[in-house]
Amino acid sequence: METVENITKTTIQEIERVLNSRTIVGEPINVDGRTLIPLISIGFGFGAGGGSGKGEGNRKGEGEAGGTGGGAWIRPVAIVISDKDGIKIEPVMGGFSAALGKIGESLPQLAEKIAEKMAEKKKEG
């Protein structure tokens, strides 16, 4: 079962690498004197299994196999908005676009900043 153990360890290491504070609290984005910080909810699940055996009769030999599978989801839950009037948290209701709509006149600049951040992350990744 060493194969399953190695696969499971590798999977857990990758999950730990992905799950950090920047995964839950996004990078701050500055738009028109406001700082916007996305808060994100994530979830995941995975399983691993394997087996080994020896052949009998005409099927002699030994074998071992293992595998993992999993899934994950990410969804925005709120945006922290900091500006000259203070700090407030706007919950995301009905998706990310609803939260962006609350920001009002900064929407075009915000969309541009988000696109830039996403492009930067793709280059790094």
Side-chain angles (χ1 to χ4, degrees):
M1 290 302 151
E2 187 176 325
T3 301
V4 174
E5 186 177 324
N6 289 338
I7 292 170
T8 303
K9 282 182 181 178
T10 301
T11 302
I12 290 171
Q13 287 171 349
E14 285 302 307
I15 289 170
E16 287 175 342
R17 185 182 65 79
V18 171
L19 296 179
N20 59 49
S21 63
R22 289 185 183 226
T23 306
I24 306 301
V25 179
E27 294 281 332
I29 301 167
N30 296 306
V31 178
D32 290 341
R34 293 181 178 152
T35 301
L36 310 170
I37 304 170
L39 301 178
I40 302 161
S41 174
I42 62 172
F44 68 93
F46 80 96
S52 63
K54 292 183 179 184
E56 295 179 5
N58 291 337
R59 298 180 176 193
K60 297 195 182 213
E62 295 183 28
E64 178 177 301
T68 64
W73 54 264
I74 300 172
R75 69 182 166 96
V77 293
I79 295 179
V80 177
I81 302 171
S82 174
D83 60 18
K84 62 181 169 83
D85 297 325
I87 297 174
K88 64 182 176 178
I89 298 176
E90 290 289 343
V92 175
M93 306 233 184
F96 192 59
S97 61
L100 291 178
K102 292 180 181 183
I103 296 169
E105 71 279 356
S106 298
L107 185 58
Q109 296 90 348
L110 174 63
E112 186 176 306
K113 290 281 187 180
I114 290 172
E116 288 172 8
K117 291 281 185 183
M118 291 175 73
E120 287 174 14
K121 286 188 184 250
K122 281 186 178 182
K123 287 180 184 178
E124 293 173 4

